[in-house]
Amino acid sequence: MKTDIEISRETQLEPIQAIASKLNIDSSSVIPYGFYTAKIPYTTIDDSCVQKHKLILVTSMTPTKAGIGKTTVSIGLALGMQKIGKNAVLALREPSLGPCFGMKGGAAGGGYAQVLPMEEINLHFTGDFHAITSAHNMISALVDNYVFRNRNTPQGLKKVIWKRVLDVNDRALRSIITGLGDGNGIPAESGFDITAASEIMAILCLASDLNDLRRRINKIIVGYRMDDTPFTVKDLGVGGAITVLLKDALNPNLVQTTEHTPAFVHGGPFANIAHGCNSVVATKTALTYGDYVITEAGFGADLGAEKFLNIKCRKADLTPALTVLVITTRGLKLHGGVPEKDAADPNTEALMRGLSNMEKHRDNLQQFGQTVLVVLNRHTDDKDEEVEMLRTYCNDRAIPFAVDTAFAEGGAGAADFARTAVHLIESKPSKPLVYTYQDTDDIKTKIKKICTQVYGAADVNYHTDAEKMLSRIKTWGIDTYPICIAKTQYSFSDDPKKLGVPEQFSMTVREIIVNNGAEMIVAVMGDMMRMPGLPKEPRALQIDLVNGYIDGLA
């Protein structure tokens, strides 16, 4: 089969104005970024359409290091919907340069189920990530300048907690000292997170409009005064300047799939260290123009879907009509006890054992009130016997099941999948969401409910620093914020080696971070890092420019 980039190059793209015209978007609302990409102003959102049209969430079982293929399945479902005559639109996250040049190599789908132009989407795209990085680091520079100018005065700060960010995996920058050298500021401990973990990223993805964006930016806590009270961007007096850097980035990006299905690709927080969902404005813009909108949330359902439902849906008044739970034979075998290097080999016993992981995720999603469709992202070398075993297993338990082969076959390989999804949506009206916790629960209660009810943990422990921050938060009156847990994506627990469905395990909160602008509390579990490192052989070794063409991005 051809590589992703070969398929991408051979696809004859339609001008972006033609894609917008399919959605009846007025030409005056199309802001072109080249021939095949445009920004659509968020002001085109129609709330009556948002509530009327159907939202489909795509999530997955606990992933392998190679992933499970949620983005490919999401795109495949949109292609399948189009194939059966439905008006479907995608709402996806933007890829980060960190994973693209680190472990993944690309994050725009795969095979014949891609969003295009793939090279641009995977690289600098419309500059949203750079705007977020610049806005975040502008705050850092302005805070450092404030500290320098107000040293030895009552207006000085006791502590700065605002780090810097970079859209590159760079472990050497996790912990640094700034201000070294004569005249270069005041030496202080600091560090870098990856841009996807920036609070500015979360704010952009949760903001409802430009005024809300500015309101949230002003609320960002950058440090503490001498009396331990929070010092914010509003106190710094630069909320307007930071909003200026982000005003264009707030508008969602319109692109197309390999079969010219419209797709909004906007925002890119990771789900293991952030809330893992594309922007609210992109989702609502897609719901304005599409009868069916397919979106995905990062990593397994314990991370992405939990945050999508408990944070994004709660705050944006969204309710999915259906949740798709993606599985693969390789993923099931891995969680059934097979080493990753052997997961492609036939092993029906391990396959069946691994279904407990899928069942746990499905049970969790049903606790939210969701109708769940289990979908096998079929690899070309998957054995028919194993596929039929999965079909029989699900049929015997009345679990809705479908097979997606869009990677190899495009929309034709997802048509039956799409019919099943439409049937479930039409035959089972969506129920009100049942959240894991209530806004009125205190922070520890919220964390415990997620850990015990979603992950299956027996108890939760706290490091001293986390306890101190919780005590400080109690005086700020922000206990109503939702919780965003940062933990490994490879296990329900905070230990990546505990595969399948671990039992009787404890979880440890190492750090509590207040994202006051994003209006959520981040609880960092175990050894989770908010700045990833590079693997032994990063994908950058395979990416090159050959005869004027980019190679190695997939």
Side-chain angles (χ1 to χ4, degrees):
M1 183 172 165
K2 295 175 181 177
T3 65
D4 292 354
I5 207 158
E6 288 172 337
I7 293 169
S8 171
R9 284 193 202 126
E10 292 176 3
T11 302
Q12 185 63 49
L13 296 178
E14 294 183 358
I16 198 60
Q17 289 85 352
I19 300 299
S21 180
K22 288 182 180 181
L23 297 176
N24 295 316
I25 298 175
D26 189 272
S27 60
S28 64
S29 295
V30 180
I31 307 169
Y33 276 63
F35 295 112
Y36 307 116
T37 300
K39 280 190 172 288
I40 306 299
Y42 70 83
T43 51
T44 64
I45 292 170
D46 183 332
D47 286 327
S48 64
C49 293
V50 171
Q51 296 304 317
K52 179 175 63 175
H53 294 157
K54 305 300 183 184
L55 180 62
I56 301 171
L57 170 64
V58 177
T59 183
S60 79
M61 64 177 293
T62 304
T64 67
K65 289 183 179 178
I68 295 293
K70 292 184 304 300
T71 304
T72 302
V73 171
S74 299
I75 298 167
L77 178 55
L79 301 181
M81 288 276 194
Q82 182 174 264
K83 191 67 91 174
I84 64 172
K86 302 298 182 182
N87 174 25
V89 181
L90 281 156
L92 303 173
R93 292 173 298 158
E94 300 178 45
S96 162
L97 291 180
C100 284
F101 285 76
M103 184 176 290
K104 247 183 173 180
Y112 289 93
Q114 297 184 56
V115 282
L116 306 175
M118 184 263 270
E119 295 98 321
E120 284 84 349
I121 293 170
N122 277 319
L123 298 176
H124 304 290
F125 202 22
T126 59
D128 295 342
F129 269 62
H130 296 305
I132 291 165
T133 303
S134 297
H136 185 114
N137 293 336
M138 181 66 74
I139 294 174
S140 301
L142 290 163
V143 171
D144 285 348
N145 183 60
Y146 178 91
V147 171
F148 180 71
R149 301 298 176 184
N150 289 278
R151 64 194 186 281
N152 303 321
T153 73
Q155 291 77 38
L157 298 186
K158 181 178 182 180
K159 183 178 179 63
V160 172
I161 60 171
W162 187 255
K163 293 184 176 182
R164 286 166 168 79
V165 296
L166 184 70
D167 192 31
V168 172
N169 292 4
D170 194 341
R171 62 169 54 86
L173 293 177
R174 287 173 182 160
S175 298
I176 63 170
I177 302 294
T178 60
L180 296 178
D182 186 39
N184 295 332
I186 300 173
E189 291 185 27
S190 187
F192 278 76
D193 294 331
I194 194 164
T195 298
S198 166
E199 185 176 353
I200 298 288
M201 175 67 81
I203 287 172
L204 185 92
C205 287
L206 291 169
S208 57
D209 55 34
L210 204 55
N211 289 332
D212 189 39
L213 179 71
R214 181 170 185 156
R215 178 187 70 83
R216 290 170 177 273
I217 288 169
N218 271 322
K219 289 179 64 178
I220 293 171
I221 298 172
V222 296
Y224 306 121
R225 297 183 178 90
M226 295 302 176
D227 62 358
D228 274 339
T229 57
F231 185 83
T232 67
V233 167
K234 183 178 181 179
D235 297 322
L236 198 59
V238 299
I242 304 306
T243 305
V244 165
L245 289 175
L246 296 167
K247 68 178 182 64
D248 294 328
L250 182 61
N251 291 320
N253 309 301
L254 178 65
V255 291
Q256 61 191 287
T257 69
T258 40
E259 297 180 11
H260 315 302
T261 319
F264 289 94
V265 178
H266 192 226
F270 297 161
N272 58 346
I273 53 179
H275 75 289
C277 312
N278 72 295
S279 73
V280 167
V281 294
T283 301
K284 289 191 171 183
T285 304
L287 282 164
T288 295
Y289 297 108
D291 296 334
Y292 295 90
V293 170
I294 299 99
T295 190
E296 58 100 10
F299 294 121
D302 58 317
L303 285 168
E306 182 272 315
K307 295 168 185 175
F308 183 92
L309 298 167
N310 275 325
I311 300 175
K312 181 175 179 177
C313 289
R314 186 195 301 258
K315 296 304 179 182
D317 191 24
L318 297 169
T319 301
L322 176 71
T323 292
V324 172
L325 180 63
V326 182
I327 62 173
T328 64
T329 59
R330 288 169 170 79
L332 292 170
K333 291 171 196 172
L334 177 72
H335 289 282
V338 170
E340 193 154 7
K341 64 182 178 61
D342 300 325
D345 299 337
N347 191 325
T348 55
E349 292 81 6
L351 184 81
M352 298 305 287
R353 287 196 301 270
L355 282 165
S356 62
N357 183 274
M358 178 270 284
E359 288 274 23
K360 171 64 174 168
H361 285 294
R362 178 174 170 269
D363 289 346
N364 285 342
L365 292 167
Q366 288 183 321
Q367 287 180 25
F368 282 100
Q370 283 292 287
T371 299
V372 183
L373 170 59
V374 174
V375 174
L376 173 66
N377 180 20
R378 182 168 185 174
H379 289 218
T380 53
D381 58 354
D382 281 350
K383 301 296 182 287
D384 290 343
E385 177 190 3
E386 293 183 336
V387 174
E388 291 311 310
M389 284 183 68
L390 294 174
R391 191 189 307 276
T392 299
Y393 178 93
C394 289
N395 288 345
D396 287 349
R397 291 159 179 79
I399 299 172
F401 177 80
V403 177
D404 174 42
T405 57
F407 179 92
E409 300 174 2
D416 286 342
F417 167 24
R419 290 188 189 95
T420 303
V422 170
H423 171 73
L424 285 170
I425 290 170
E426 292 178 348
S427 62
K428 294 187 176 183
S430 58
K431 303 174 184 176
L433 280 176
V434 180
Y435 301 118
T436 308
Y437 50 83
Q438 300 304 310
D439 287 333
T440 52
D441 289 339
D442 62 62
I443 293 171
K444 275 195 171 182
T445 299
K446 291 173 182 175
I447 293 172
K448 184 174 182 179
K449 284 183 176 180
I450 295 172
C451 291
T452 57
Q453 296 177 24
V454 177
Y455 306 154
D459 53 54
V460 184
N461 303 310
Y462 291 81
H463 279 191
T464 302
D465 287 347
E467 291 278 14
K468 287 180 180 177
M469 179 56 76
L470 287 173
S471 297
R472 179 178 281 155
I473 289 171
K474 284 183 181 179
T475 68
W476 296 350
I478 57 174
D479 279 19
T480 58
Y481 287 173
I483 302 300
C484 177
I485 289 184
K487 76 169 186 71
T488 178
Q489 65 269 34
Y490 299 125
S491 172
F492 279 109
S493 72
D494 57 12
D495 180 352
K497 296 179 181 179
K498 292 181 178 177
L499 304 182
V501 183
E503 297 178 347
Q504 294 301 312
F505 61 92
S506 298
M507 300 191 73
T508 301
V509 179
R510 189 182 82 245
E511 185 180 8
I512 295 287
I513 300 169
V514 178
N515 281 182
N516 197 47
E519 297 178 340
M520 64 187 186
I521 306 295
V522 180
V524 183
M525 297 277 189
D527 297 326
M528 198 67 217
M529 297 290 182
R530 286 163 57 89
M531 167 58 87
L534 289 168
K536 184 177 181 180
E537 295 185 1
R539 287 295 302 232
L541 298 175
Q542 302 170 38
I543 296 172
D544 201 353
L545 197 63
V546 181
N547 298 322
Y549 293 100
I550 297 169
D551 197 17
L553 260 182

